[in-house]
Amino acid sequence: MPIRYVDVLTVEQALIKAGNGHKFQIRAIVIMSLQYMVAGMFHIAITELYFHQTQYKCIDQQYNIYQCNEVEFCKQYYRDDIDKEKITFASQLGDIIQFFQLVCDDKIIILILITSYYLGGCIGSLYYGEQMEIRQGRQSIMIETLALLGFTCCLTILIPNAYLLSVALFFANFFLRGFLNSSMILFFEISSENLQKLSPSILLTAYGIGTIISPVIIDSFQLNWQQSMLILFGGPAVMFSVLIKFMQESPRMLVIKKKYHQAKIVLQIISQCNGREMPKDWMLEDEVRVKELKDKMQEITQQFGVKEVAKGYNFSSIFRYNSTRVRMFCLLYLYSIIIIGQFQTSKEIDAFSRLDRQKTELLLSTVATVGYLISGYASLNYNRKDVLKIVLGVSAMFNFLYAVFPIFQLSTNAIALMSFYDRLMHTIIMMILIMSRLILSFGCAFINIYALEVFPTSLRHYGFSGMVFLTEFLFIFQETYVVFCHTFGLNTSIGMFFLLLFGILTLNKLRETYDQPLKENVEELNDELLNNVYVL
């Protein structure tokens, strides 16, 4: 009887043999980059373009328009002899603010709209984090969330008042966060080697490009918020959701859920698309181990009538095991302060910049995109913890410099603004803020890479979704906090300086993942019957 040789491969080895950085992965990069670009365009429009309050205009006795402050604007707004729509549309206000007349006493509705948007992101992160476990995959969630995001954007053009719009914004970010989380994880898990390390940088760079081009397109074609929702966001999101069909489910997740046959089919499809050949006879390593275990358990299962099912998890699972619990708490803190620091710095630049609104937004988006882009190089070449220490340390230094720099000495007199001292001080402070924004944007992309690597496949969706949940929740209060500090002349960088320094200490509790194989299962469960549960 001839001897039959069977190649036994781990899922990582199988992905390498199926081809990495070839046709299938390039197709995935193109499809998901387009989707992330639309997501970036939508997010910057909602958080910046549609709700900005740059400049108020009033009408003098000769019916000429002139620039005024908000108090004077509101006095005129409530006069019976003033055309409310005229002064509102003459002011440099966000399109949604102008459309629904959300000024003066109605400004509270702006807070409701923004809060609804971020609250939707919180709940969406939790809900679809759980759905990735229930559905045992990522691909179906990507299709569902992107399509529903598109339909929600399209339906907003029919909304008659701001309160219904708050509901639409809630569901828009609910679906957006579900898509961003599931797609980031899927792209990471269908890749291997260098492309795997680059995946967050690639997707966030595409996202950053979306934030750059969104204001340009809207201003160039003079699109109002309803036209943008339909043409720029809704329509493309629905169309691009169809392209996800050309991708495949995560083979790593399928292996975790004991769906070995389906995982091998996915790997075979990837290899065929890449023009690579898998071994004639091959099995997955986990499949072999389970087969051996089943042979040993056969007598027991027949005697007692038990059956094998894949081990189920929920959000509490990530806090159940010491290895994931400590990492989760540390990453919740690190991820939050980096993202919040990035947001806070953008608000400081916006308040301090002497550029007009469009140029300031372009500057902020460009700096962030450059940070996302260069994080890819660091992810290929450097230890994760060392890079994060540098990010936190340098960011803390920039925040300290901005906090202690003598900003109060800058003149606000129009003539004095041309003095050499004033220009020098302003340039130095702007450079500090821009470098802080660049470093934190770099850190944002880099910590995404680290978070995807540090969590095992079985709990990666819970860990990643949990981090995004906390960040979206903090965003609800962050805008109010920044406005409060600016109103009372306080510097937001003082507190951030201490938070960033403390973040360096938390890195001591985390393990290094650079050039380490991905863990598929929780470390404490490696010897627990292959993570299976046997039930009657």
Side-chain angles (χ1 to χ4, degrees), residues 138-208:
R138 325 324 191 165
Q139 187 186 22
S140 64
I141 291 174
M142 283 179 63
I143 297 172
E144 175 186 307
T145 51
L146 191 58
L148 289 175
L149 170 63
F151 284 123
T152 303
C153 289
C154 292
L155 290 174
T156 55
I157 65 174
L158 304 175
I159 288 177
N161 61 63
Y163 293 105
L164 286 177
L165 180 61
S166 69
V167 177
L169 291 181
F170 172 91
F171 282 106
N173 206 22
F174 179 88
F175 299 129
L176 177 63
R177 285 299 150 188
F179 167 74
L180 292 176
N181 295 348
S182 59
S183 57
M184 181 78 77
I185 295 171
L186 178 63
F187 189 38
F188 179 81
E189 291 180 349
I190 61 173
S191 308
S192 62
E193 297 180 314
N194 290 345
L195 190 59
Q196 189 179 77
K197 299 172 185 175
L198 287 171
S199 55
S201 299
I202 293 171
L203 296 181
L204 287 175
T205 299
Y207 181 92

Side-chain angles (χ1 to χ4, degrees), residues 43 92 125 185 223 305 412 482 505 514 530:
H43 183 71
Q92 293 184 23
S125 294
I185 295 171
L223 300 175
T412 56
V482 172
L505 300 178
Y514 178 64
L530 298 181

Side-chain angles (χ1 to χ4, degrees), residues 363-488:
L363 173 66
L364 290 170
S365 298
T366 303
V367 170
T369 305
V370 172
Y372 300 149
L373 187 61
I374 61 178
S375 68
Y377 174 79
S379 69
L380 293 175
N381 297 286
Y382 299 105
N383 289 340
R384 308 306 187 223
K385 292 175 66 175
D386 291 344
V387 172
L388 287 173
K389 283 179 183 178
I390 293 172
V391 167
L392 294 169
V394 174
S395 298
M397 179 188 71
F398 283 133
N399 275 271
F400 177 77
L401 289 174
Y402 181 59
V404 302
F405 223 86
I407 303 172
F408 56 86
Q409 292 183 16
L410 285 174
S411 175
T412 56
N413 184 281
I415 298 176
L417 290 179
M418 300 303 294
S419 70
F420 172 77
Y421 173 79
D422 182 83
R423 293 199 304 271
L424 178 63
M425 291 294 106
H426 182 269
T427 301
I428 291 174
I429 295 170
M430 277 298 291
M431 288 303 299
I432 290 172
L433 290 172
I434 289 170
M435 289 303 298
S436 180
R437 168 81 171 173
L438 178 67
I439 294 295
L440 288 168
S441 299
F442 170 91
C444 169
F446 198 84
I447 201 168
N448 274 283
I449 300 165
Y450 181 69
L452 290 168
E453 291 176 343
V454 81
F455 290 115
T457 300
S458 55
L459 293 176
R460 186 171 292 122
H461 43 289
Y462 286 128
F464 199 77
S465 298
M467 294 191 309
V468 176
F469 160 78
L470 180 60
T471 306
E472 290 286 301
F473 181 76
L474 292 175
F475 272 139
I476 295 174
F477 308 99
Q478 187 64 20
E479 182 81 35
T480 305
Y481 168 71
V482 172
V483 171
F484 173 83
C485 289
H486 287 172
T487 302
F488 291 95

